[in-house]
Amino acid sequence: MFWSKIFIPTLKDSPQDAEVISHQLMLRAGMIRKVASGIYTWLPLGLMVLRNIENIVREEMNASGAQEVLMPMVQPKELWEETKRWDKMGSELLRIKDRHDREFCLGPTHEEVITDLIRNNVKSYKELPLNIYQIQTKFRDEIRPRYGVMRGREFLMKDAYSFNLDEESLQDTYLTMRNTYKKILERIGLEYKIVQADSGAIGGEVSEEFHVLAENGEDTIAISDASEFAINTELLLKEGEDINSLEGQPSPDGNGKIVIKKGIEVGHIFQLGKVYTEAMQVNVQSQEGRAVDLFMGCYGIGVSRLVAAAIEQHHDDQGIIWPESIAPFEVNIVAIGYTKEIKIADAANELCATLKSIGYKVIVDDRKDGYGTKIKDAELIGIPINIIIGNKYLENGEIELKHRNGKSTVSQIAELSTIFDRFKK
RNA sequence: CGGGGUAUAGCGCAGUCUGGUAGCGCACUCGCUUUGGGAGCGAGUGGUCGUAAGUUCGAAUCUUACUACCCCGACCA
């Protein structure tokens, strides 16, 4: 991959309307551009990161035994009337009419569609449990979209729905999803907390949120300084009480004291019970031949929000610092004088080929610009490893290996592939 | 929806108070010189000043209405 062949419109200044750092950096790094409030185009670099996260999510979901489907974004009013949500949802639900005046909405979530699918096609307890998921664009006409992709109206979400014969089976699936989410966030490389939550409008009994810890988080969570315990402060505050008054109080789980942190909610898992399956009459024949309503769970991850959350947690004054797991490229070969010095171009191309062959995602900065421009851009877009090939290479074969997190070493080009070889795949 | 703010070139801004026909930096184009921390010189391109109406001989500037966008609150992955 050559830098000059990829559309990466970086910006020196951040646009005035970007407030939080992830939004600023995503714009400056040429990852996204706004189309309307809360609605964005993903440019090549942004899409690469989005896809990387999506793939981690997909791999872990598949490994957990869940099955991928793709449901429609446009959903008929009739299904939403069955659960009474056509009226309940209010203007968050974007409603549209087709040419025959039939009413539809843009899907903000898919309980209705999946439940309809299951009731029409699953007839026996033998086919259960089922856990079905999709990675799809959602639309919620948020009262106030903000912070770029962090709270967009259109966003990419992984949503899974499980159907279980009894409560025990539901809990089993729920725990599997809980563990899967832990794996996903650990694989991406984010510091997070599992937080007891209010199940809110979706209904149901048990629910937990996954929060990526970051200063710009929209949620305030109370965590214990002595255990894994964490809870959304909304559940802890009594009328008129100030959040700061919680700090230092004994933790509700009896271990240690409360510490207040800011979090970005990137995942939410629910045990819904029978709320939807009763409303929409989803039942199967049990072993005894009776019709029984199913237990349902739903499990969401904000895929596009995770991109922003990762940046909130991993950046410095110069730009993004991608965890290797989701970086658009793992290695950037900064070839100074690429267009002029054949020896530099040859060395860069050859190194690129070698690294590719051992499994690295590599980009060569072949642009006509000088060192300053190239390294500034490299730091902005956050590639983990930068290899500088410049005049020192011409003089004595030396190149510099510069990690985005600060460390840098000098070595001979021949040694380099050996170094990388040891680490790779 | 309530409160606050912004709108002038791709991005950042000046000009608005005090009306006189639009400017700066960066980016972009061409040429030459440069190439280890956002290069230099020269020559260029690009704006119905958010939209509409009004006041005026004349409006980016004054008046009114509208729209978009951002921030604070309630909703949520």
Side-chain angles (χ1 to χ4, degrees), chain A residues 363-378:
Chain A
I363 183 171
V364 176
D365 193 344
D366 60 333
R367 294 175 300 171
K368 208 181 162 182
D369 303 271
Y371 179 76
T373 303
K374 291 188 175 191
I375 204 72
K376 284 284 184 189
D377 270 349

Side-chain angles (χ1 to χ4, degrees), chain A residues 17 23 32-41 94 138-155:
Chain A
D17 58 9
H23 188 198
I32 55 166
R33 286 293 183 266
K34 182 168 67 192
V35 174
S37 180
I39 300 177
Y40 292 84
T41 292
L94 186 63
K138 296 279 185 280
F139 194 95
R140 293 181 189 172
D141 200 355
E142 292 278 345
I143 295 169
R144 186 152 86 85
R146 69 184 121 173
Y147 301 155
V149 124
M150 192 117 98
R151 177 180 297 282
R153 292 191 289 174
E154 188 178 300
F155 58 97

Side-chain angles (χ1 to χ4, degrees), chain A residues 187-250:
Chain A
R187 245 183 94 177
I188 295 174
L190 297 176
E191 198 190 336
Y192 69 96
K193 275 281 175 187
I194 301 177
V195 178
Q196 288 184 24
D198 185 356
S199 51
I202 296 191
E205 295 124 33
V206 183
S207 113
E208 289 170 298
E209 297 167 346
F210 286 72
H211 283 256
V212 167
L213 298 176
E215 278 178 27
N216 279 326
E218 289 189 84
D219 294 280
T220 310
I221 54 183
I223 65 180
S224 160
D225 63 359
S227 71
E228 288 293 300
F229 182 84
I231 187 166
N232 198 311
T233 51
E234 288 164 18
L235 299 183
L236 233 45
L237 286 175
K238 298 182 190 81
E239 183 93 32
E241 217 174 356
D242 181 44
I243 282 177
N244 296 317
S245 68
L246 295 172
E247 183 100 36
Q249 283 184 21

Side-chain angles (χ1 to χ4, degrees), chain A residues 118-119 121-128 163-165 281-287 289-294:
Chain A
I118 299 301
R119 74 174 162 189
N121 295 283
V122 177
K123 296 297 169 196
S124 161
Y125 73 95
K126 292 177 188 167
E127 300 173 66
L128 300 177
F163 295 86
N164 306 272
L165 194 61
Q281 299 176 36
V282 189
N283 51 58
V284 300
Q285 295 262 301
S286 72
Q287 203 160 2
R290 286 198 322 266
V292 292
D293 291 320
L294 298 185

